[in-house]
Amino acid sequence: MARLRAALAARGLVWPAPLEHHESLRSTSDVVRERARAGAAEWTTVIADTQAAGRGRWGRTWASPPGGLYLSTLLRPPPEAVGLLPLVAGVAVAEALSEWGVSTELKWPNDVLARGRKLAGVLGEASSSASGVEWVALGIGVNVGAEDDSLPPSVRENATSLRAETGGSPGLEEIAAAVMVRLTVWYDALRLRPSSVLPAWRARAAPWWGSLVEVHGGEGPRRGRMRDVDETGALVLDVEGGGSVRVLSGEVERVRLVEAGARDPERG
Ligand code: BTN
């Protein structure tokens, strides 16, 4: 952790909470959840070299071979900040990775893509009580590719890495420090200047506005044209027959043209 603290200090940040490094564990988010239940301070952060049971959104596995960045941090957001937190995390990661010259696009709510392939992912796991969200374990995984070809072939098809995109792989501490600094900056913005969040997210979003998409997940499949993301962080879709729906969670896929041609009235 000394190297990470030094990298943070070089960026002018003294980390305000415990920082833990593990060579190997099941999931950094599991440890953060344990710390949260024990009353740990906001920003308590856990980093691991590998994860035996890394998880992604929607119950997927997050392959976690050595050479990637696996980081989870504990946040206790005010209620009004919860909806936009996923977007803020995506912006922070995208901004951090742009330091290495990689051009990224955000896919709602917070997939970080490069050339359409997944470069990084964010998983927010909240614990709520009757009075609302008490804490969020925010997990971030970045495919760095420092030890390339270690991702399983099934993942490699749709994924990319910093090394594949830039030809280099910066030190993990440098990447972690960049991500952590941008996260603190955007988390402050979320609380103090929430109106700055959506423009920043839109500016980095994949330009799918007006495209026909399908959203799978929490609220069941939804199909419509991507109109916008609203001030609560919900995705707004214009649906067939008129009107719009707000989607609070899910996985967005663009409907392929061939299929859209068959079903999309605007395409006959
Ligand atoms: C996604 O599906 O896009 C989210 C992936 C999140 C992976 C990170 S790696 C660190 C933290 N620990 C986990 O088990 N998952 C998250």
Side-chain angles (χ1 to χ4, degrees):
M1 286 291 95
R3 286 227 294 264
L4 175 56
R5 284 188 193 283
L8 287 165
R11 293 165 183 268
L13 186 64
V14 175
W15 197 246
L19 270 175
E20 287 182 37
H21 170 253
H22 297 249
E23 276 176 16
S24 174
L25 41 55
R26 284 179 58 75
S27 160
T28 52
S29 289
D30 286 348
V31 178
V32 162
R33 289 161 68 118
E34 276 171 34
R35 303 291 179 264
R37 287 189 203 106
E42 194 168 44
W43 293 115
T44 294
T45 298
V46 176
I47 295 182
D49 296 339
T50 65
Q51 300 182 116
R55 56 180 178 270
R57 297 174 70 229
W58 305 109
R60 286 188 304 247
T61 298
W62 185 261
S64 307
L69 176 67
Y70 314 109
L71 173 157
S72 296
T73 193
L74 172 61
L75 296 174
R76 299 184 183 279
E80 65 280 6
V82 170
L84 289 177
L85 183 58
L87 305 190
V88 155
V91 171
V93 174
E95 268 190 13
L97 299 183
S98 72
E99 264 191 43
W100 288 280
V102 57
S103 158
T104 59
E105 287 181 341
L106 293 172
K107 185 175 83 151
W108 184 86
N110 53 23
D111 279 349
V112 182
L113 309 179
R115 292 181 301 120
R117 291 163 171 249
K118 187 118 160 187
L119 177 61
V122 179
L123 175 70
E125 295 174 311
S127 170
S128 306
S129 69
S131 51
V133 169
E134 294 197 324
W135 50 260
V136 175
L138 188 75
I140 295 170
V142 180
N143 297 327
V144 178
E147 295 179 28
D148 219 8
D149 73 14
S150 48
L151 285 175
S154 58
V155 175
R156 250 182 278 160
E157 260 173 39
N158 297 314
T160 187
S161 65
L162 260 187
R163 185 160 97 168
E165 296 303 315
T166 66
S169 47
L172 290 176
E173 290 83 7
E174 273 306 318
I175 303 170
V179 167
M180 291 160 81
V181 167
R182 297 317 297 166
L183 208 50
T184 61
V185 167
W186 276 106
Y187 191 61
D188 280 352
L190 176 61
R191 285 176 305 171
L192 305 173
R193 296 180 307 283
S195 61
S196 65
V197 170
L198 276 183
W201 189 88
R202 288 192 191 105
R204 291 191 175 272
W208 291 6
W209 313 116
S211 300
L212 191 62
V213 298
E214 207 160 69
V215 188
H216 299 272
E219 298 140 86
R222 292 283 200 179
R223 185 180 272 234
R225 289 189 180 279
M226 251 182 80
R227 190 209 287 175
D228 200 2
V229 171
D230 73 14
E231 67 288 349
T232 68
L235 181 66
V236 185
L237 299 181
D238 289 331
V239 291
E240 203 177 353
S244 61
V245 291
R246 292 174 64 243
V247 183
L248 302 181
S249 65
E251 191 75 24
V252 185
E253 297 302 338
R254 208 133 60 136
V255 178
R256 287 184 309 132
L257 283 181
V258 113
E259 195 191 340
R263 296 201 209 167
D264 180 357
E266 286 182 30
R267 289 177 192 278

